[in-house]
Amino acid sequence: MVFETERLILRPWTEEDAEILFEYAKDPAVGPIAGWPVHTSVENSREIIRNVLSVDETYAVCIKDNNRPIGSIGLIPPAQSHTDAGYDEIEIGYWIGVPFWGKGLIPEAVRRLQKHAFMDLGYNAMWCGYYDGNEKSRKCQEKCGFKYHHTEENKPCELMGDVRTEHFTRLSKEEWLAGFYETV
């Protein structure tokens, strides 16, 4: 499946994206704050495309002008959620390369996947989380209508081999319909 927004294309990852993925994912400002280690090589990025990013409902966030990935966004089913999502709820996760921070691109992508999750897939709520200190992600979630729900402390971050505090936000379908549907 492919989605378009005003400035973006959200499309499946391909192994041909490995070089550009590595360009952004090797930056230590990106992965660790989101809970995953920096990529170590183009081959490492290719392996992550094969084994992590090639799952259903995970998309490369691409600039419309050139269709090159600048980040990633995906819907996480209830069974794999980082919190206790109900059977009719989904979680969303995302990241974007440093050169594209502060341009409103991830909120644009999040809003498009909110519409997909609520209208096409029939979910009744969406969760999103951010680790302590990730203020950019917190602000993105606020812009997209998510409201603070709860904090989980001493939570293992397996990929980074540490323990963190994670804050969770939530948006119901009703809240989305009342305030964000028309902006998509």
Side-chain angles (χ1 to χ4, degrees), residues 25 27-39 48 82 131 155-164:
D27 190 324
V30 177
I33 193 90
W36 47 270
V38 296
H39 291 201
I48 289 169
H82 294 183
Y131 291 115
K155 191 162 181 158
C157 181
E158 293 178 22
L159 292 175
M160 294 301 292
D162 59 18
V163 176
R164 299 181 179 199

Side-chain angles (χ1 to χ4, degrees), residues 154-173:
N154 302 313
K155 191 162 181 158
C157 181
E158 293 178 22
L159 292 175
M160 294 301 292
D162 59 18
V163 176
R164 299 181 179 199
T165 297
E166 190 168 7
H167 307 282
F168 286 93
T169 60
R170 186 177 181 275
L171 175 69
S172 71
K173 183 176 183 178

Side-chain angles (χ1 to χ4, degrees), residues 4-110:
E4 288 192 32
T5 69
E6 181 182 338
R7 300 178 290 172
L8 302 171
I9 294 172
L10 309 179
R11 62 160 174 82
W13 285 92
T14 68
E15 288 189 34
E16 290 76 30
D17 296 324
E19 195 169 311
I20 190 74
L21 172 59
F22 176 62
E23 182 180 331
Y24 298 121
K26 69 181 179 183
D27 190 324
V30 177
I33 193 90
W36 47 270
V38 296
H39 291 201
T40 57
S41 66
V42 172
E43 187 52 41
N44 177 224
S45 290
R46 186 172 287 108
E47 181 181 321
I48 289 169
I49 290 170
R50 273 189 229 119
N51 299 324
V52 177
L53 299 176
S54 291
V55 297
D56 289 342
E57 301 299 341
T58 295
Y59 304 93
V61 176
C62 304
I63 296 292
K64 206 178 230 183
D65 294 344
N66 60 22
N67 200 23
R68 289 183 55 168
I70 59 168
S72 188
I73 191 165
L75 298 175
I76 304 161
Q80 297 170 349
S81 177
H82 294 183
T83 193
D84 294 326
Y87 73 92
D88 62 345
E89 302 175 337
I90 193 118
E91 186 175 342
I92 191 166
Y94 51 79
W95 67 267
I96 192 166
V98 173
F100 303 95
W101 287 4
K103 300 180 185 308
L105 295 168
I106 284 297
E108 189 173 316
V110 168

